[in-house]
Amino acid sequence: MKNQLLLIAIFIFVFLMLKNNIRKKVYTIQDAENAIKYAAQKYGKPFAKQFEQLLRLETNHFRSDQYINTGTGGMMIGAWGNRFKKAKVKPQGVWETIKNGKKYAYVVLGSVKDFADVLFSYLKDHDISEWNGGEMPDYKQRLEKISTPITDKL
C-alpha cells in the first residue's frame, strides 16, 4: 500500500511539473562559451564575435533571467514566423515573466547553439541592428563596443 501511494505521489508530481512547464535546464556561461566556439567553427570567427557581442548585450553578460531560462538573447513569442524552420531549430517551450507589471513570453530553445543557428539565419535577411526591433537606435554601435574575450581566445 505504501509503495502504491508513493508511486501515485510521484506520478502526480511529474504530471504537475509537465503541466506547469517547470524546467530543470538552466543556461550558464559554459553553455554560452560552447555555443560561441560552435558558431566560430560552423559560421566563422566574424559571426562568432557578433554572436558573443549580442549575447553579452542582450543577457547582461549571461546573467539575465531571460538567458538563464531560455538560452537566447530575447526571442519574444510571435515575432519569428518561419525563422526556426529556416534554421532547422525546434523551440522547446515558452518562458513567461512579468516586467513592470506587464507579462512577456519568450521562446525557449534546446541549447544556446540553437540560438546561434537562429541568429545566423536571421542575419541572412536582416542587419544585426534590427535584432531588438528598433528599440535602441544606436544598437549596432553599442554592440561594437562590447569586448569578446571568448571569441578572442579562439
Side-chain angles (χ1 to χ4, degrees):
M1 183 69 169
K2 285 182 183 180
N3 287 342
Q4 288 174 330
L5 289 175
L6 180 60
L7 286 174
I8 291 170
I10 291 170
F11 176 78
I12 291 170
F13 176 74
V14 170
F15 174 78
L16 290 174
M17 281 182 58
L18 293 173
K19 182 179 179 233
N20 293 319
N21 197 22
I22 297 172
R23 301 174 50 253
K24 289 184 179 181
K25 174 70 177 164
V26 293
Y27 296 91
T28 65
I29 190 168
Q30 187 62 52
D31 293 311
E33 288 177 6
N34 292 339
I36 291 163
K37 290 173 187 172
Y38 163 84
Q41 291 171 350
K42 187 168 183 179
Y43 302 115
K45 197 170 176 180
F47 171 74
K49 181 177 178 143
Q50 278 189 315
F51 179 55
E52 182 175 356
Q53 288 170 321
L54 184 137
L55 266 178
R56 288 182 177 280
L57 178 63
E58 294 288 345
T59 68
N60 191 23
H61 299 270
F62 321 116
R63 294 184 300 244
S64 71
D65 285 344
Q66 176 186 300
Y67 170 74
I68 291 167
N69 288 285
T70 68
T72 76
M75 300 180 70
M76 291 179 65
I77 296 295
W80 298 101
N82 66 354
R83 185 61 54 194
F84 298 112
K85 189 174 184 178
K86 284 184 178 181
K88 298 178 182 165
V89 169
K90 184 177 179 187
Q92 301 296 305
V94 175
W95 177 70
E96 295 177 335
T97 188
I98 297 175
K99 295 179 188 175
N100 302 322
K102 187 175 178 186
K103 190 175 184 178
Y104 293 90
Y106 295 92
V107 174
V108 176
L109 295 180
S111 72
V112 185
K113 291 176 184 177
D114 286 347
F115 180 52
D117 292 332
V118 171
L119 181 62
F120 186 81
S121 173
Y122 178 84
L123 293 177
K124 287 181 180 178
D125 302 320
H126 302 275
D127 188 79
I128 198 162
S129 62
E130 299 174 59
W131 176 260
N132 75 336
E135 292 177 16
M136 287 184 251
D138 61 342
Y139 191 74
K140 197 170 190 173
Q141 291 78 18
R142 290 177 74 177
L143 284 173
E144 290 169 354
K145 292 177 183 176
I146 296 172
S147 64
T148 55
I150 298 168
T151 307
D152 294 344
K153 289 180 187 174
L154 300 177

